[in-house]
Amino acid sequence: LKMAADEESRELVWEGKLPVCFAVHPDETRHHRDSGSNCYYMLVPRVTYFPIVLDKVDAHFRRVSGADREDMPWLEYKKSPLKWQYPVGVLYDMLNIDKGQPWMIYIRYKDFPSDKIVNFNSRMAMKAYFLAKIKEADYLKHKSEILNQFKPDDFENLWNALAKDDYGLFWSTCKRLMVDVRGGKAPFKYIPFIIYTPDGNRTQGLMPAVESVKATQEEDCDVFQTKDHTLGHLLTKFNVDHESGNSLQVLIQGISVSMETPLQWLSECLCFPDNFIHIVIKQNQY
């Protein structure tokens, strides 16, 4: 029953979509009367990255903007460029967006802000980054013992599944990253995570999934048992403020998660496709 519930959680997370309205920035729009070309609406998966869905948006707006072929597209929200390497859902959770309306994002072609964002508009660059994150995650979880058994087709399956929004294909490969080298269930050595705080900083580090706790002493021999580390343990260890009255939210996949939730479960069921738990700390909006 628990395995069925965990599987359902993973699939529900994958199926999450965000309504987005893309538009060319007013400073870059040609004068023309085709109002149907002014906006491009799309339901964007929370677990994907903007470079994966940008091709269609770019093709729609290049004629409208009059951009040259060599002009690199970039995205802007409330006068700030959006970072390509953050999953879409993480960006959405970090920003103060009116939840009752589609997310309004400008696509721009001029004055690429190279001092603020990395150029990830190439799908191949995005693929390389995504697969590098998966390798980093497996090193933390299994010292790369699982990925060392992967064939090139396995990596292609992970990328193609993300690009095609195909959960079945993705999980058929990714499930191997959730077990030990023998295919059994064992706690991960370390939990892959990234914490995003309101000051714009990111935190990563080494956090074991469990700790050994002394249970009893028998015949001059200490007996230990394992105890799950929780989300609260993680935030406390890395000195992340998450208890400032009711002024802060802690979001994973857009969900306010209990501090008592085991990290192992979060890593198996609420991680993003890169196998990291992305934890957003943000100010409550009243």
Side-chain angles (χ1 to χ4, degrees):
L1 183 61
K2 181 182 182 298
M3 290 181 64
D6 290 350
E7 176 65 22
E8 183 179 6
S9 298
R10 283 188 284 261
E11 189 163 6
L12 285 173
V13 163
W14 182 281
E15 293 298 328
K17 302 289 191 296
L18 295 171
V20 179
C21 174
F22 295 97
V24 175
H25 193 278
D27 293 346
E28 300 183 20
T29 307
R30 280 180 170 175
H31 299 291
H32 75 84
R33 300 175 183 176
D34 182 5
S35 59
S37 297
N38 293 337
C39 292
Y40 189 96
Y41 291 91
M42 180 184 292
L43 284 174
V44 180
R46 286 184 57 93
V47 298
T48 196
Y49 301 83
F50 275 122
I52 293 177
V53 301
L54 195 61
D55 287 352
K56 292 181 180 179
V57 181
D58 180 34
H60 180 81
F61 283 122
R62 274 200 179 264
R63 178 176 58 87
V64 177
S65 67
D68 296 328
R69 179 175 296 182
E70 62 271 15
D71 289 333
M72 295 183 296
W74 55 283
L75 299 177
E76 180 184 84
Y77 175 72
K78 289 188 175 180
K79 299 183 179 181
S80 294
L82 296 179
K83 295 182 178 181
W84 303 112
Q85 70 270 33
Y86 289 8
V88 171
V90 171
L91 289 169
Y92 186 84
D93 292 342
M94 291 172 62
L95 302 170
N96 298 318
I97 298 168
D98 182 356
K99 300 301 189 288
Q101 300 291 331
W103 184 6
M104 184 71 180
I105 295 175
Y106 285 127
I107 182 169
R108 305 201 59 171
Y109 294 94
K110 303 299 182 183
D111 304 319
F112 187 90
S114 56
D115 59 328
K116 295 181 179 179
I117 60 172
V118 178
N119 175 19
F120 269 107
N121 64 347
S122 160
R123 285 172 69 95
M124 292 305 296
M126 190 70 252
K127 176 183 178 181
Y129 176 82
F130 170 68
L131 294 179
K133 294 302 290 182
I134 286 183
K135 293 175 183 178
E136 180 184 351
D138 192 59
Y139 181 79
L140 290 169
K141 293 195 294 186
H142 305 114
K143 292 187 176 180
S144 300
E145 289 181 338
I146 306 298
L147 280 185
N148 286 341
Q149 299 176 357
F150 270 35
K151 299 176 181 178
D153 284 350
D154 295 319
F155 291 103
E156 287 299 315
N157 283 342
L158 291 171
W159 169 251
N160 289 334
L162 181 64
K164 297 175 182 177
D165 191 26
D166 186 335
Y167 172 76
L169 176 61
F170 184 82
W171 185 244
S172 67
T173 301
C174 187
K175 64 184 180 183
R176 294 162 55 190
L177 300 173
M178 300 299 169
V179 296
D180 62 28
V181 70
R182 294 173 296 277
K185 295 292 290 183
F188 300 147
K189 183 173 179 58
Y190 296 109
I191 297 293
F193 72 90
I194 304 174
I195 303 171
Y196 307 81
T197 50
D199 57 9
N201 289 326
R202 299 196 319 163
T203 299
Q204 290 184 252
L206 297 179
M207 184 68 184
V210 298
E211 64 175 331
S212 294
V213 179
K214 182 178 178 180
T216 60
Q217 187 174 22
E218 299 177 2
E219 298 180 355
D220 298 325
C221 179
D222 292 335
V223 178
F224 290 86
Q225 64 183 20
T226 59
K227 179 181 178 182
D228 288 333
H229 276 142
T230 66
L231 178 59
H233 291 142
L234 171 65
L235 298 180
T236 299
K237 176 178 178 178
F238 289 94
N239 300 313
V240 177
D241 181 15
H242 60 285
E243 297 178 337
S244 296
N246 296 318
S247 64
L248 294 176
Q249 284 182 292
V250 180
L251 300 175
I252 301 175
Q253 295 284 6
I255 303 166
S256 182
V257 179
S258 167
M259 292 296 108
E260 302 304 314
T261 308
L263 290 174
Q264 180 73 26
W265 186 87
L266 290 173
S267 194
E268 292 177 3
C269 298
L270 291 191
C271 69
F272 277 75
D274 62 3
N275 278 228
F276 276 78
I277 309 171
H278 292 261
I279 305 164
V280 175
I281 315 292
K282 67 180 295 186
Q283 297 289 337
N284 255 320
Q285 300 299 305
Y286 297 103

